[in-house]
Amino acid sequence: MSKKDDLFDSKADEVIAKCVTDVPPTSFFLFAGAGSGKTRSLVECLEVIRDKSGPKFSLNGRRVGVITFTNKACDEIRSRLKYDELFEVSTIHSFAWSLIKSLNHDIKGWLEENLKKEIAELEEKERKGRAGTQASKDRINAITSKRERIANLGQVRKFIYNPDGDNPERNALNHAEVIKITASFLTERPLMQSLLVNRFPILLIDESQDTSRELIEAFFLVQSKLKDRFVLGIIGDMMQRIYTAGKMDLGTNLPEDWETPAKRMNHRSCHRIIKLVNRIRKPVDGQEQRPRSDKGEGYVRFFILPADIEDKPAQEHECCRLMAEVEGDDGWLDPGTNVKTLTLEHRMAARRLGFLDMWDALKDVNRLKTGLRDGSLPGLRFFSHLILPLIKANEKKDSFALTSIVRKNSPLLEKDTLISCKSGQKCQVESAKAAVDSLVELWKDGKSPTFMQVLDSVYQTGLFRIPGVLIPFAKPAEEGAEESQEEDKRDNLVAWRKFLETQFDQIERYSQYVQGEARYDTHQGVKGLEFPRVCVVMDDSESGGFTFSYEQLFGAKQSKTKPKPGKETSIDRTRRLFYVTCSRAEESLALVAYTEDPEAVKKHVLDEGWFKEHEVVVISRNAA
């Protein structure tokens, strides 16, 4: 390893170390590009704080807050810091909950007001909508459910929340509520602002480009008001923003007294790959990375195929074979094991892996998009983390696993229920068994139930608690309810009903996908990861939407809409996600683009300087 390369960005590390130890302290935004070693910089910064301020912080009962994106990243940082209790390392949801979990009275007030607003919105939709339709029934059920929750708030003594799982209990908050409540309290209540600063005089946020916009803005507000007592350290790269919930203009228009160090060494990728991602990025902000001197040249190939070519997976396999031939690397010959295949749009993976119907039902609702992509929606986790394991245990005749799932999760077997059961505990256990039997009966003789049939069974028997979002659909349908043909597919209730009408067997393939266990993955699934060989598949005809456009990015088509000032275009989004996927590759990168105009794409990518002539391979229909 080259020591010179290791020290290339040492100036940035010195700047952030000075920011957190100065009196008064200085807040900062650290630009950290792909593969720049930001985790190492973060840990080194924390070690400086421990050496300079650790004893003082401990004496005053104060800690350093560190927010990162995943539990895996939290574990890695904690391990590097040897689990020092000076540092509170957590995900954004865990950190937010740590701030508000004791404020039960305030949470209750916020919830009541918020539920009233949601009811008013639903009532307005009902007033404008068509009476007697199934959508109308769903709205009425949702209104009833929310009113019941308001009525039950008076019985809640203490709210609970699990940042890493589901929250079906009546006194539980969901993930979105925890973020909204924390942001609201920090923005509107000076006492809450003081509470944050007194507990965490230093707060560092990794992957800040994808952290909730509401909370990021709240933290900025606190810093502006209490800057002499509070350091806010933001670490990220806007070119790697992949979630719509993030703050779009993060890093721009920062206060003049903020420091803006940058890490420009890419320790991950070979020279050719870094040259490509630099060219892709240049029109956006001109930021360039430098490769390590001890890294090899690497390989890049851009394969162009007709959009209507047959058997696309086979074509992609052939592209991998050509990569093996060019490089002399047999690892490309087994793409299922040795190659990470990425798509730029989830719908492509959904189609190829077999969960397209359930995906399409939910994908157009803005408030559901992030949870759909990462698998965190309670309505989905109910099926993927509770029903699916139970059905799998039954198929394997694993009675121990099945019983364990029911004992842990079913209200029929809760301690209080068993104690109060007048007919005896044995009878209650038999009821739970009957409920399970009723559920698994849906799969008898090779049948394939819908999500709705599964939900109906669970609701009728009381086997498990139903997530709040699914309660409006759990009650039996009224006779004569007709479906309106004019309902908005972006409406939350309409989308959930369409989802419930699709086949349950999709949930296993979906679950494997969002957990990174499937052959295909996307930019979200490989966030922060790296692989020796990467194949990126791009196909507008499979992605089915207007959010991204590879044909526009590659010059085959022109946008039909005029760009709005300050708004992202589909080319902007596609370029950013193209950058993220390309920058996952360490040694070699195969890019497979399907297009209606191969020659136009070839000309454009050569004119842009992304590739050299010998790196572009056009595969015709006849050649295939």
Side-chain angles (χ1 to χ4, degrees), residues 221-498:
L221 176 67
V222 175
Q223 191 277 333
S224 69
K225 290 187 173 183
L226 303 171
K227 61 178 62 180
D228 291 340
R229 299 165 47 199
F230 183 51
V231 176
L232 185 58
I234 305 294
I235 304 168
D237 176 10
M238 290 306 293
M239 194 66 180
Q240 296 187 71
R241 183 171 65 86
I242 57 179
Y243 289 107
T244 56
K247 181 174 169 60
M248 286 184 58
D249 59 349
L250 185 66
T252 62
N253 301 316
L254 292 169
E256 292 183 0
D257 57 350
W258 278 50
E259 289 284 357
T260 55
K263 292 176 67 66
R264 304 190 185 281
M265 171 68 72
N266 185 315
H267 299 271
R268 171 187 299 155
S269 303
C270 286
H271 291 222
R272 179 64 190 93
I273 295 167
I274 294 175
K275 184 177 180 181
L276 171 62
V277 296
N278 282 343
R279 292 290 297 183
I280 294 169
R281 180 171 192 147
K282 187 176 181 179
V284 179
D285 58 16
Q287 296 276 10
E288 289 193 357
Q289 287 188 293
R290 168 176 166 169
R292 291 185 63 90
S293 59
D294 51 8
K295 283 281 188 179
E297 180 62 19
Y299 293 88
V300 170
R301 290 293 183 274
F302 189 77
F303 299 95
I304 305 175
L305 297 90
D308 58 354
I309 200 167
E310 296 182 358
D311 197 353
K312 291 179 179 179
Q315 303 304 328
E316 291 146 27
H317 198 283
E318 174 63 12
C319 292
C320 289
R321 188 194 66 77
L322 293 173
M323 290 296 291
E325 187 177 288
V326 167
E327 294 184 48
D329 177 8
D330 289 346
W332 279 98
L333 295 176
D334 186 7
T337 304
N338 298 319
V339 179
K340 194 63 177 178
T341 302
L342 306 178
T343 65
L344 289 192
E345 220 284 334
H346 295 278
R347 195 172 186 273
M348 294 172 62
R351 180 191 294 276
R352 290 162 182 246
L353 293 173
F355 58 90
L356 183 62
D357 290 343
M358 63 164 281
W359 182 272
D360 277 355
L362 300 173
K363 70 179 177 63
D364 293 313
V365 183
N366 286 331
R367 70 177 69 179
L368 301 180
K369 285 181 179 179
T370 298
L372 175 62
R373 291 167 180 169
D374 64 18
S376 64
L377 288 177
L380 293 182
R381 288 178 62 88
F382 173 73
F383 295 108
S384 63
H385 285 62
L386 189 55
I387 305 299
L388 180 62
L390 186 148
I391 298 305
K392 285 297 179 184
N394 182 68
E395 289 175 352
K396 296 176 182 177
K397 300 188 184 304
D398 187 343
S399 58
F400 178 81
L402 191 152
T403 302
S404 177
I405 292 169
V406 176
R407 285 190 179 279
K408 181 179 179 181
N409 299 283
S410 178
L412 298 176
L413 298 181
E414 286 180 345
K415 183 178 179 181
D416 291 345
T417 304
L418 293 173
I419 292 173
S420 62
C421 182
K422 296 180 180 179
S423 56
Q425 294 186 12
K426 182 179 179 181
C427 183
Q428 194 67 18
V429 171
E430 289 175 352
S431 295
K433 183 180 183 304
V436 172
D437 291 343
S438 176
L439 178 61
V440 301
E441 181 76 12
L442 295 174
W443 281 264
K444 188 177 180 180
D445 299 327
K447 294 178 182 177
S448 179
T450 64
F451 288 101
M452 184 69 83
Q453 290 173 313
V454 174
L455 180 66
D456 285 343
S457 175
V458 175
Y459 176 75
Q460 294 296 333
T461 63
L463 178 59
F464 300 120
R465 287 190 176 87
I466 307 297
V469 70
L470 299 180
I471 288 177
F473 314 100
K475 299 176 181 179
E478 296 176 358
E479 292 294 330
E482 55 181 277
E483 187 58 65
S484 169
Q485 300 301 312
E486 302 177 358
E487 294 296 345
D488 186 354
K489 65 181 180 180
R490 294 168 295 180
D491 181 87
N492 191 54
L493 292 171
V494 171
W496 277 113
R497 176 164 288 281
K498 287 183 177 179

Side-chain angles (χ1 to χ4, degrees), residues 92 179-180 183 208 210-217 245-247:
I92 188 64
I179 295 298
K180 289 179 179 179
S208 57
D210 284 318
T211 303
S212 164
R213 174 185 57 80
E214 296 164 298
L215 268 183
I216 284 287
E217 291 179 345
K247 181 174 169 60

Side-chain angles (χ1 to χ4, degrees), residues 494-535:
V494 171
W496 277 113
R497 176 164 288 281
K498 287 183 177 179
F499 158 76
L500 289 168
E501 291 169 349
T502 67
Q503 298 300 118
F504 177 87
D505 63 8
Q506 299 172 91
I507 198 67
E508 182 173 10
R509 298 186 287 273
Y510 165 78
S511 183
Q512 290 172 343
Y513 174 66
V514 296
Q515 292 178 49
E517 298 171 356
R519 175 184 172 184
Y520 295 98
D521 215 328
T522 62
H523 48 283
Q524 284 99 340
V526 295
K527 186 179 181 69
L529 302 180
E530 54 195 38
F531 310 92
R533 307 170 195 85
V534 170
C535 177

Side-chain angles (χ1 to χ4, degrees), residues 105-157:
H105 177 75
D106 301 270
I107 292 173
K108 190 178 296 185
W110 187 94
L111 277 176
E112 183 173 355
E113 288 302 312
N114 190 65
L115 286 166
K116 287 178 179 178
K117 290 178 183 177
E118 292 178 350
I119 290 171
E121 291 173 2
L122 286 168
E123 288 176 335
E124 179 64 13
K125 286 185 178 181
E126 180 63 15
R127 186 183 67 79
K128 293 180 178 179
R130 182 179 162 195
T133 64
Q134 186 59 62
S136 173
K137 171 186 173 292
D138 293 340
R139 284 193 293 266
I140 292 170
N141 284 343
I143 291 169
T144 301
S145 176
K146 292 179 187 297
R147 284 176 175 164
E148 289 174 352
R149 192 179 181 194
I150 290 176
N152 290 328
L153 284 177
Q155 302 171 24
V156 176
R157 294 184 178 181

Side-chain angles (χ1 to χ4, degrees), residues 539-572:
D539 188 352
D540 277 1
S541 64
E542 283 195 45
S543 62
F546 303 99
T547 304
F548 309 105
S549 176
Y550 323 120
E551 293 278 58
Q552 290 181 29
L553 179 65
F554 298 146
K557 290 184 178 179
Q558 297 295 319
S559 175
K560 296 180 180 180
T561 58
K562 187 177 181 180
K564 297 180 180 179
K567 297 291 185 180
E568 276 191 335
T569 65
S570 59
I571 291 182
D572 294 333

